[in-house]
Amino acid sequence: MESFFNKLFSSVRDGVITVAHGNEKYDVEFEPGQVEGGRVTVGELRDSCVEFTKAPRQQIRLLYRGKLLSQDAVKLSDVGIRSGSKVLCMATKNLPRNGGNDASERKERELANARNNPIEALLKLRGSIERDIEPEVERYLAAEENKEQHDRLAELLLQKLFLLDGIVATETFAEDQRLELRQKRKEAVQYAQGLLDRIDKQVKE
């Protein structure tokens, strides 16, 4: 993933982190030396993303090198982020609730299913990657399609990585079920990350 972002952004400025959100890229600036010095947290980076996403803070998710940055108190330097690093941001704006919003209702049902049946939800999510995305990746690699196609596939895979990271076992799950879920999630993440690495490698070459 890092190779792809390095291809897009070559210049590095002290205290500047590049955040990719949708099809846009934003430079988030902190005081020189603060990022490497361990004085900037995940929460502060998330706060900075509110302005350009126009989304509620709690709806902003950050991903770095395939890992979800969920703990606001963690220092950026502790997760390997430094000046010039590229972070993916995904944000969902609150939609007005109404009886005719079928998409919203469907999303709520999917989230409920993921909480109640996380292993089933995980397998369905991996299945959607295998069915819908992997064939497109293979076509892209075989045909050497353009950069726009790469960016679209990369965005889809990053979205799936976010969703995979959000599937967790509830407190009611037995320890063996928790272990099974963690293992299956790890395998699914490695699979999706592998596809992303393959298309990134082609861009780099």
Side-chain angles (χ1 to χ4, degrees), residues 111-125 164 166-170 172-173 177-178 181 184-185:
L111 291 174
N113 182 63
R115 289 192 294 269
N116 297 328
N117 304 288
I119 292 179
E120 179 184 347
L122 190 150
L123 293 176
K124 285 183 177 180
L125 182 55
L164 286 168
I167 297 178
V168 296
T170 64
T172 60
F173 272 61
Q177 292 176 308
R178 291 173 180 269
L181 178 62
K184 289 185 180 299
R185 184 175 58 203

Side-chain angles (χ1 to χ4, degrees), residues 10-24:
S10 57
S11 61
V12 175
R13 290 182 290 155
D14 191 6
V16 176
I17 296 169
T18 300
V19 178
H21 174 59
N23 295 322
E24 302 296 332

Side-chain angles (χ1 to χ4, degrees), residues 106-143:
R106 183 169 62 253
K107 183 65 175 179
E108 290 181 3
R109 289 196 298 270
E110 290 174 353
L111 291 174
N113 182 63
R115 289 192 294 269
N116 297 328
N117 304 288
I119 292 179
E120 179 184 347
L122 190 150
L123 293 176
K124 285 183 177 180
L125 182 55
R126 172 161 182 166
S128 71
I129 300 173
E130 294 173 343
R131 181 185 65 251
D132 302 327
I133 301 180
E134 184 176 10
E136 289 199 53
V137 168
E138 297 299 340
R139 286 194 293 271
Y140 166 77
L141 294 173

Side-chain angles (χ1 to χ4, degrees), residues 143-174:
E144 297 186 1
E145 297 184 37
N146 58 31
K147 180 180 176 298
E148 287 72 20
Q149 175 71 349
H150 167 277
D151 292 354
R152 188 180 70 83
L153 290 172
E155 180 74 11
L156 287 173
L157 286 165
L158 289 167
Q159 290 175 3
K160 297 299 184 183
L161 284 167
F162 266 125
L163 293 173
L164 286 168
D165 192 87
I167 297 178
V168 296
T170 64
E171 295 179 355
T172 60
F173 272 61

